[in-house]
Amino acid sequence: MAIKFQYNKTSLGELGKQLKMRQKALPTIKSKESALRSEVKKAKDTAGEYRRRLDALMAEYDYMAALWGEFDVDLLRVSDVGLATQKIAGVRIPVLEEVFFEERPYDLFSSPVWFADGVDLLKRLARLGIEYEVYSRRMELLDFARRKTTQKVNLYEKVQIPGYEDAIRKIKRFMEDEENLSKSAQKIVKTKQQAAGEGAML
């Protein structure tokens, strides 16, 4: 990114302000990046834990596969999912509060004994599946924010701050050269005037 500037004091002052602003913001952005990196890892680990628990419960479900043919699938359904939002390092992420189920009554006497356990197992499966999805989404949102923050850190650190420093150096060098030229010109004029004054005296 080329930084546009002019060789004057106004431009020098403006570039100085921009540089200070970025140097001041950089530590904050870096700490946000670090916090997000840590939160991404936590969300990933938690999502992985839910996945393992879900797989273990699915194995239990598969174990009863022969019995599930008798089960009435209309007995249970997820009616709603209660989600809230939470802010972590400035990122809004979902938090699972509650899973609401709609359970159709069934005859305890004519239904197989294991139906109650089946309903309970399905509730646990649904809740774990939803928790896994929520944590996966949290991980995606946090990771996206972390990548954007890392880009900003790199932009400031590797492009903008060195660019502003370089532009400021060029303006200062130009202004010093101009001042030296002006002084040299003044000396030459003074020397010529003195020489002309001495020549007039002769």
Side-chain angles (χ1 to χ4, degrees), residues 6 13 23 32 73 95 116 136 157:
Q6 294 172 339
Q23 286 171 330
K32 179 181 178 175
V73 289
V95 177
S136 294
E157 230 173 21

Side-chain angles (χ1 to χ4, degrees), residues 54 78 99 101 121-131:
L54 189 58
V78 174
V99 178
F101 294 98
L121 178 63
L122 286 176
K123 280 183 179 178
R124 284 165 41 217
L125 272 170
R127 182 163 181 93
L128 274 175
I130 292 166
E131 281 174 327

Side-chain angles (χ1 to χ4, degrees), residues 67-111:
L67 301 172
W68 286 109
E70 304 172 31
F71 193 78
D72 181 1
V73 289
D74 294 329
L75 285 182
L76 183 75
R77 73 178 193 88
V78 174
S79 61
D80 199 6
V81 175
L83 288 173
T85 53
Q86 175 186 10
K87 255 189 176 183
I88 292 181
V91 182
R92 295 172 74 83
I93 55 167
V95 177
L96 180 65
E97 288 192 326
E98 201 171 343
V99 178
F100 299 95
F101 294 98
E102 197 176 285
E103 211 174 319
R104 232 184 57 209
Y106 58 93
D107 187 0
L108 293 169
F109 298 106
S110 63
S111 301

